[in-house]
Coordinates of all heavy atoms in Angstrom, one line a residue:
Y92 N -27.7 7.6 -30.2 CA -26.5 8.2 -29.5 C -26.1 7.3 -28.3 O -24.9 7.0 -28.2 CB -26.8 9.6 -29.1 CG -25.7 10.3 -28.4 CD1 -24.7 11.0 -29.0 CD2 -25.6 10.3 -26.9 CE1 -23.7 11.6 -28.3 CE2 -24.6 10.9 -26.3 CZ -23.6 11.6 -27.0 OH -22.6 12.2 -26.3
R93 N -27.0 7.0 -27.4 CA -26.6 6.3 -26.2 C -26.2 4.9 -26.6 O -25.3 4.3 -25.9 CB -27.8 6.3 -25.3 CG -28.1 7.6 -24.7 CD -29.3 7.6 -23.8 NE -29.7 9.0 -23.4 CZ -30.8 9.3 -22.6 NH1 -31.5 8.3 -22.2 NH2 -31.0 10.5 -22.3
K94 N -26.8 4.3 -27.6 CA -26.4 3.0 -28.1 C -25.0 3.0 -28.6 O -24.1 2.1 -28.3 CB -27.3 2.4 -29.2 CG -27.0 1.0 -29.6 CD -28.0 0.5 -30.6 CE -27.7 -0.9 -31.1 NZ -28.7 -1.4 -32.1
R95 N -24.6 4.0 -29.4 CA -23.3 4.1 -29.9 C -22.2 4.3 -28.9 O -21.2 3.7 -28.9 CB -23.2 5.2 -31.0 CG -21.8 5.5 -31.5 CD -21.9 6.3 -32.8 NE -20.5 6.6 -33.3 CZ -20.3 7.1 -34.5 NH1 -21.3 7.3 -35.3 NH2 -19.0 7.3 -34.9
F96 N -22.5 5.3 -27.9 CA -21.5 5.7 -27.0 C -21.6 5.0 -25.6 O -20.7 5.2 -24.8 CB -21.5 7.2 -26.8 CG -21.1 7.9 -28.1 CD1 -22.0 8.7 -28.7 CD2 -19.9 7.8 -28.7 CE1 -21.7 9.4 -29.9 CE2 -19.5 8.4 -29.8 CZ -20.5 9.2 -30.5
G97 N -22.7 4.2 -25.4 CA -22.8 3.4 -24.2 C -23.2 4.1 -23.0 O -23.3 3.5 -21.9
N98 N -23.4 5.4 -23.1 CA -23.8 6.2 -21.9 C -24.5 7.4 -22.3 O -24.5 7.8 -23.5 CB -22.5 6.6 -21.1 CG -22.1 5.6 -20.1 OD1 -22.8 5.2 -19.2 ND2 -20.9 5.1 -20.3
P99 N -25.2 8.1 -21.4 CA -26.0 9.3 -21.8 C -25.1 10.5 -21.9 O -23.9 10.5 -21.5 CB -27.0 9.4 -20.6 CG -26.2 8.9 -19.5 CD -25.4 7.7 -20.0
Y100 N -25.6 11.6 -22.4 CA -25.1 12.9 -22.2 C -25.9 13.6 -21.2 O -27.2 13.6 -21.2 CB -25.2 13.7 -23.5 CG -24.3 15.0 -23.6 CD1 -23.1 15.0 -24.2 CD2 -24.7 16.1 -23.0 CE1 -22.3 16.1 -24.3 CE2 -24.0 17.3 -23.0 CZ -22.7 17.3 -23.7 OH -22.0 18.4 -23.7
A101 N -25.3 14.2 -20.2 CA -26.1 14.7 -19.0 C -25.5 16.1 -18.6 O -24.4 16.5 -19.0 CB -26.1 13.8 -17.9
V102 N -26.3 16.8 -17.8 CA -25.9 18.0 -17.2 C -26.2 17.9 -15.7 O -27.2 17.2 -15.3 CB -26.6 19.2 -17.8 CG1 -26.1 19.5 -19.2 CG2 -28.1 19.0 -17.8
V103 N -25.4 18.5 -14.9 CA -25.5 18.4 -13.5 C -24.9 19.7 -12.8 O -24.1 20.4 -13.4 CB -24.7 17.1 -13.0 CG1 -23.2 17.3 -13.2 CG2 -25.0 16.8 -11.6
H104 N -25.4 20.0 -11.6 CA -24.8 21.1 -10.9 C -23.4 20.6 -10.4 O -23.3 19.4 -10.0 CB -25.7 21.4 -9.7 CG -25.3 22.7 -9.0 ND1 -24.1 22.9 -8.3 CD2 -25.9 23.9 -9.0 CE1 -24.0 24.1 -7.9 NE2 -25.1 24.8 -8.3
R105 N -22.4 21.4 -10.5 CA -21.1 21.1 -10.1 C -21.1 20.5 -8.7 O -20.3 19.6 -8.4 CB -20.1 22.2 -10.2 CG -19.8 22.7 -11.6 CD -18.7 23.8 -11.6 NE -17.4 23.2 -11.2 CZ -16.5 22.8 -12.1 NH1 -16.8 22.9 -13.4 NH2 -15.4 22.3 -11.7
G106 N -21.9 21.1 -7.8 CA -21.9 20.7 -6.4 C -22.5 19.2 -6.3 O -22.0 18.5 -5.4
D107 N -23.4 18.8 -7.2 CA -23.9 17.5 -7.1 C -22.9 16.5 -7.6 O -22.7 15.4 -7.0 CB -25.1 17.4 -8.0 CG -26.3 18.1 -7.4 OD1 -26.4 18.3 -6.2 OD2 -27.3 18.5 -8.2
L108 N -22.1 16.8 -8.6 CA -21.0 15.9 -9.0 C -20.0 15.8 -7.9 O -19.5 14.7 -7.5 CB -20.4 16.4 -10.3 CG -19.1 15.7 -10.8 CD1 -19.3 14.2 -11.0 CD2 -18.5 16.4 -12.0
Y109 N -19.6 17.0 -7.4 CA -18.6 17.0 -6.3 C -19.1 16.2 -5.1 O -18.3 15.5 -4.5 CB -18.4 18.5 -5.9 CG -17.3 18.7 -4.9 CD1 -15.9 18.8 -5.4 CD2 -17.5 18.7 -3.6 CE1 -14.9 19.0 -4.5 CE2 -16.5 18.9 -2.7 CZ -15.2 19.1 -3.1 OH -14.1 19.3 -2.2
Q110 N -20.3 16.3 -4.7 CA -20.8 15.6 -3.5 C -20.7 14.1 -3.7 O -20.4 13.4 -2.7 CB -22.3 16.0 -3.2 CG -22.8 15.6 -1.9 CD -22.0 16.2 -0.7 OE1 -21.8 17.4 -0.7 NE2 -21.5 15.4 0.2
A111 N -21.0 13.6 -4.9 CA -20.9 12.2 -5.1 C -19.4 11.7 -4.9 O -19.2 10.6 -4.2 CB -21.3 11.8 -6.5
L112 N -18.5 12.5 -5.3 CA -17.1 12.1 -5.1 C -16.7 12.3 -3.7 O -15.9 11.5 -3.1 CB -16.2 13.0 -6.0 CG -16.3 12.7 -7.5 CD1 -15.7 13.8 -8.4 CD2 -15.7 11.3 -7.9
L113 N -17.2 13.4 -3.1 CA -16.8 13.6 -1.6 C -17.4 12.5 -0.7 O -16.7 12.0 0.2 CB -17.4 15.0 -1.2 CG -17.1 15.4 0.2 CD1 -15.6 15.5 0.4 CD2 -17.8 16.8 0.5
D114 N -18.6 12.1 -1.0 CA -19.2 11.0 -0.2 C -18.4 9.7 -0.4 O -18.2 9.0 0.6 CB -20.6 10.7 -0.7 CG -21.6 11.8 -0.3 OD1 -21.2 12.7 0.5 OD2 -22.7 11.9 -0.9
A115 N -17.9 9.4 -1.6 CA -17.1 8.2 -1.8 C -15.8 8.3 -1.1 O -15.3 7.3 -0.5 CB -16.8 8.1 -3.3
C116 N -15.2 9.5 -1.0 CA -13.9 9.7 -0.3 C -14.2 9.5 1.2 O -13.4 8.8 1.9 CB -13.4 11.1 -0.5 SG -12.6 11.3 -2.1
R117 N -15.2 10.1 1.7 CA -15.5 10.0 3.2 C -15.9 8.5 3.6 O -15.6 8.1 4.7 CB -16.6 10.9 3.5 CG -16.2 12.4 3.5 CD -17.3 13.3 3.8 NE -16.8 14.7 4.0 CZ -17.6 15.8 3.9 NH1 -18.9 15.7 3.6 NH2 -17.1 17.0 4.1
A118 N -16.4 7.8 2.6 CA -16.8 6.4 2.9 C -15.6 5.5 2.9 O -15.7 4.3 3.4 CB -17.9 6.0 2.0
H119 N -14.5 5.9 2.3 CA -13.4 5.0 2.1 C -12.4 5.2 3.3 O -11.9 6.3 3.5 CB -12.7 5.2 0.8 CG -11.9 4.0 0.3 ND1 -10.8 3.5 1.0 CD2 -12.1 3.2 -0.7 CE1 -10.3 2.5 0.3 NE2 -11.1 2.2 -0.7
P120 N -12.0 4.1 4.0 CA -11.2 4.3 5.2 C -9.7 4.7 4.8 O -9.0 5.2 5.7 CB -11.2 2.9 5.8 CG -11.6 2.0 4.7 CD -12.5 2.7 3.9
A121 N -9.3 4.5 3.5 CA -8.0 4.8 3.2 C -7.8 6.3 2.7 O -6.7 6.7 2.3 CB -7.5 3.9 2.1
V122 N -8.9 7.0 2.7 CA -8.8 8.4 2.2 C -8.9 9.4 3.4 O -9.8 9.3 4.2 CB -10.0 8.8 1.2 CG1 -9.9 10.2 0.8 CG2 -9.9 7.9 0.0
T123 N -7.9 10.3 3.5 CA -7.9 11.3 4.5 C -8.0 12.7 3.8 O -7.3 13.0 2.9 CB -6.6 11.3 5.3 OG1 -6.4 10.0 5.9 CG2 -6.5 12.4 6.3
L124 N -9.0 13.5 4.3 CA -9.3 14.8 3.7 C -8.8 15.9 4.7 O -9.3 15.9 5.9 CB -10.8 15.0 3.4 CG -11.4 13.9 2.5 CD1 -12.9 14.1 2.4 CD2 -10.7 14.0 1.1
L125 N -7.9 16.7 4.3 CA -7.3 17.7 5.2 C -7.5 19.1 4.6 O -6.9 19.4 3.6 CB -5.8 17.5 5.5 CG -5.5 16.2 6.2 CD1 -4.0 16.0 6.3 CD2 -6.1 16.2 7.6
G126 N -8.4 19.9 5.2 CA -8.6 21.3 4.7 C -7.6 22.2 5.4 O -7.0 21.9 6.4
G127 N -7.4 23.4 4.7 CA -6.5 24.4 5.2 C -5.1 24.1 5.0 O -4.2 24.6 5.7

Side-chain angles (χ1 to χ4, degrees):
Y92 176 89
R93 293 180 189 175
K94 182 177 180 181
R95 174 164 179 167
F96 296 115
N98 274 300
Y100 194 102
V102 289
V103 66
H104 194 287
R105 291 186 71 94
D107 289 337
L108 171 60
Y109 186 86
Q110 192 64 48
L112 292 166
L113 183 60
D114 289 345
C116 285
R117 287 174 170 165
H119 203 295
V122 177
T123 301
L124 303 174
L125 296 177

